[in-house]
């Protein structure tokens, strides 16, 4: 999952890319104008068709589009038909489907959990799950250890696990990274979250340290989302890629989250002040044995089934072996039958809208190709599965690419489009990563839009959606779009009202399609994406990561 991106805080975010005929050295210059000599033409997107795709994919019939469910089957059929009708071809030896082996872990709702002899109520105080195929999870009096932010970063001379043996112990970990609490510090990246702040890293590192389990302390500001998002996302069936034997054996037995209030009770019972330890953890690596234990017991079920990425290609002309990828995750959270009233997480904004976006872009390129105006490079559209469960589909594609990654020029990720009207600005998430940002900026300038970084870099948006799976392999990948500045008073009034309507709907059952959505901002962004991709698709540029990016060594800017 985006785990967990606050959709309603900002008019959200899609991405794209562009280029021109300049060489990479010129492109990397701050004042470059990559589209200045481009022959890129404006196209007209079909708002009603775009709107209809969102409406269909987020309808109750699709039951929230959870992987390996009836909703997946309906989604796959719908996407396959749409791409077929466009004239695109299935990328997987003629098939539009790429199987993604998954396992679904379902923890029991009846869990017995005590920390420091304090009973913890499932969902209210804590959520736990296990990514192991054990029918019963039983942990008896496992020692609890506070490990600060749970980070081992040799390049920053930072190791919260220094000098401690975590075997048989459960790590208690702060959310985000030290830069959030200490933005003036010299390590990490200030308020902009690094990958060390992500929940996925913290569980991975606890596993590498040999811990028995890991529990992250939820705190709304550094997490950038409320407890309700954790509760909705981390209860019920949890999906993952099928791990090899070594990976499975080395993974922590239990993982989850606890509320800040519950954590304060735990630390007080242990004789410590959590706020005091939080201050210390922001300044230096820290680990403290709490002299308390955890006892945990719940039933667990593991079920194995393939889910599928949908992969459709529009073949290029003279440089067909070089790929530009558009990604958008088709999945959402599904249906929770334990809820009273509305049980379906329709996921209209997240991410029926992004999936509809890549389809509309594909239709425009396909129409141009039918008129003999196809791109030199190939375009491939990847509707991924399992993003909400940890970028599963994109992780699988990046590790098992249908087209070689060294022939993949760039990845443009669409994850929730702008339903709040047009904007005067244009947001690039994680601004400062790659040369693709120059292409995006120039495309946005053609709309007289000012490029800015995201308003809440502490949310770690760059690490929270499918583009990140490709960035880890060095493929330039971007996540951008939308903005926060309405162009006029009428749009500002509409935006304020719609933000009220959508408040609290991220990863919640109220993420419905609305007929009243103003999709002009989304179409404005689709135009940027189209122009950018058309330019890059007709030149020979190979954008790279900028100096200072953690991915620079994998594919450096020239």
């Amino acid at each position: 999952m985006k785990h967990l991106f606050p959709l309603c805080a900002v008019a959200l975010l899609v991405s794209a890319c562009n280029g021109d005929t300049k060489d990479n050295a010129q492109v990397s210059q701050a004042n470059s104008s990559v589209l200045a000599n481009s022959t890129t033409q404006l196209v007209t997107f079909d708002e009603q068709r775009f709107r209809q795709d969102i409406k269909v994919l987020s309808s109750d019939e699709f039951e929230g589009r959870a992987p390996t469910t009836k909703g997946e089957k309906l989604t796959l059929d719908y996407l396959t038909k749409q791409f077929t009708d466009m004239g695109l071809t299935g990328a997987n030896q003629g098939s539009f489907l790429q199987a993604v082996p998954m396992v679904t872990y379902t923890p029991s709702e009846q869990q017995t959990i005590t920390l420091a002899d304090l009973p913890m109520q499932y969902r209210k105080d804590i959520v736990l799950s296990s990514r192991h195929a054990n029918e019963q999870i039983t942990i008896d009096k496992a020692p609890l250890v506070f490990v600060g932010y749970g980070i081992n970063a040799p390049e920053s001379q930072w190791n919260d696990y220094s000098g401690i043996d975590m075997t048989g112990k459960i790590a208690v970990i702060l959310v985000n990274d030290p830069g959030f609490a200490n933005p003036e510090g010299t390590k990490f990246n200030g308020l902009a979250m690094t990958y060390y702040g992500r929940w996925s890293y913290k569980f991975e590192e606890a596993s590498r340290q040999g811990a028995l389990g890991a529990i992250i302390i939820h705190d709304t500001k550094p997490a950038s989302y409320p407890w309700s998002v954790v509760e909705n996302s981390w209860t019920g069936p949890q999906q993952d890629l099928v791990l090899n034997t070594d990976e499975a054996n080395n993974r922590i037995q239990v993982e989850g989250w606890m509320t800040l209030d519950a954590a304060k009770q735990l630390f007080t019972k242990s004789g410590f002040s959590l706020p005091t330890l939080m201050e210390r953890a922001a300044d230096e690596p820290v680990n403290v044995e709490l002299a308390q234990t955890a006892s945990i017991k719940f039933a667990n079920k593991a079920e194995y089934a393939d889910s599928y990425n949908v992969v459709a290609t529009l073949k290029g002309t003279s440089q067909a072996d070089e790929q530009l990828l558009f990604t958008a995750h088709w999945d959402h959270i599904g249906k929770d039958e334990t809820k009273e009233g509305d049980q379906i997480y329709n996921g209209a904004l997240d991410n029926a809208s992004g999936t509809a976006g890549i389809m509309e872009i594909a239709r425009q390129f396909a129409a141009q190709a039918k008129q003999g105006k196809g791109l030199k490079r190939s375009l491939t559209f990847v509707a991924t599965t399992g993003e909400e469960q940890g970028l599963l589909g994109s992780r699988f594609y990046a590790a098992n690419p249908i087209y070689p990654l060294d022939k993949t020029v760039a990845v443009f990720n669409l994850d929730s489009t702008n339903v709040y009207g047009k904007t005067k600005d244009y947001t690039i998430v994680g601004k400062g990563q790659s040369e693709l940002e120059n292409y995006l900026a120039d495309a946005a300038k053609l709309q007289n839009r000012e490029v800015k970084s995201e308003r809440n870099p502490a949310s770690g948006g760059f690490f929270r959606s499918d583009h990140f799976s490709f960035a880890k392999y060095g493929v330039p990948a971007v996540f951008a779009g939308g903005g926060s500045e309405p162009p006029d008073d009428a749009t500002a009034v509409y935006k304020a009202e719609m933000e009220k309507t959508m408040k609290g709907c991220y990863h919640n059952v109220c993420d419905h399609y609305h007929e009243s959505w103003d999709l002009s901002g989304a179409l404005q962004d689709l135009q940027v994406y189209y122009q950018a991709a058309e330019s890059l698709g007709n030149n020979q540029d190979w954008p790279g990561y900028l100096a200072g990016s953690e991915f620079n060594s994998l594919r450096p800017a020239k």
Side-chain angles (χ1 to χ4, degrees), residues 102-227:
M102 280 192 186
V103 54
T104 300
Y105 301 103
T106 305
S108 171
E109 290 282 325
Q110 286 69 50
Q111 299 194 5
T112 302
I113 305 167
T114 59
L115 305 181
D117 294 324
L118 298 169
M120 296 287 163
Q121 186 175 335
Y122 183 65
R123 288 184 178 261
K124 180 179 181 294
D125 302 315
I126 194 168
V127 293
L128 293 178
S129 62
S130 177
R131 305 296 173 103
H132 286 266
N134 300 336
E135 294 183 359
Q136 185 73 39
I137 305 299
T138 303
I139 293 174
D140 186 32
K141 297 188 179 302
L144 291 163
V145 184
F146 175 64
V147 292
Y149 287 92
I151 293 171
N152 180 17
E155 73 282 2
S156 297
Q157 295 81 52
W158 192 287
N159 185 4
D160 286 315
Y161 291 97
S162 178
I164 191 164
D165 181 1
M166 290 300 298
T167 304
K169 300 173 183 177
I170 294 178
V172 180
I173 310 171
L174 297 174
V175 71
N176 210 310
D177 64 40
F180 182 88
N182 185 18
E184 303 303 320
T186 59
K187 296 181 179 179
F188 301 96
N189 196 23
L191 291 176
M193 183 191 290
T194 66
Y195 186 56
Y196 293 118
R198 293 287 291 126
W199 61 267
S200 53
Y201 166 79
K202 295 176 189 294
F203 293 147
E204 290 164 2
E205 187 59 42
S207 297
R208 285 189 287 267
Q209 295 292 332
L212 181 64
I215 303 172
I216 298 173
I217 299 171
H218 174 266
D219 190 355
T220 297
K221 285 187 177 180
S224 79
Y225 44 83
W227 176 255

Side-chain angles (χ1 to χ4, degrees), residues 14-15 326-328 351 354 357-358 361 412-416 526 529:
V14 203
S15 78
F326 278 89
T327 60
N351 186 34
I358 66 169
I361 291 172
F412 318 147
N413 182 41
L414 286 74
D415 197 344
S416 303
L526 294 187
Y529 316 146

Side-chain angles (χ1 to χ4, degrees), residues 475-539:
V475 180
V478 289
F479 180 29
S484 58
E485 299 179 25
D488 52 56
D489 291 343
T491 304
V493 170
Y494 159 79
K495 178 186 176 186
E497 289 302 315
M498 186 51 66
E499 284 182 334
K500 289 180 183 177
T501 300
M502 297 297 293
K503 185 177 181 180
C505 291
Y506 174 63
H507 282 202
N508 214 329
V509 294
C510 57
D511 184 5
H512 295 139
Y513 167 76
H514 293 265
E515 290 286 354
S516 58
W517 274 349
D518 177 358
L519 297 179
S520 62
L523 299 179
Q524 184 185 33
D525 287 346
L526 294 187
Q527 183 70 60
V528 172
Y529 316 146
Y530 181 92
Q531 289 177 288
E534 184 184 50
S535 181
L536 189 57
N538 279 325
N539 66 34

Side-chain angles (χ1 to χ4, degrees), residues 296-352:
I296 299 165
K297 186 174 183 179
F298 60 88
N300 191 49
K301 181 170 64 174
E303 299 173 287
Y304 295 83
D306 287 346
S307 184
Y308 295 88
N309 292 328
V310 181
V311 190
T313 295
L314 185 62
K315 189 175 181 180
T317 56
S318 59
Q319 297 164 229
D321 62 330
E322 299 173 2
Q323 295 285 334
L324 306 180
L325 266 58
F326 278 89
T327 60
H329 71 92
W330 61 254
D331 69 301
H332 198 55
I333 296 173
K335 186 176 182 180
D336 184 354
E337 294 182 349
T338 68
K339 281 186 171 292
E340 294 184 4
D342 190 356
Q343 298 179 333
I344 297 175
Y345 294 81
N346 299 84
L349 186 59
D350 180 20
N351 186 34

Side-chain angles (χ1 to χ4, degrees), residues 10 61 78 175 300 392 436:
V10 187
E61 182 185 5
Y78 186 81
V175 71
N300 191 49
L392 303 185
L436 292 185

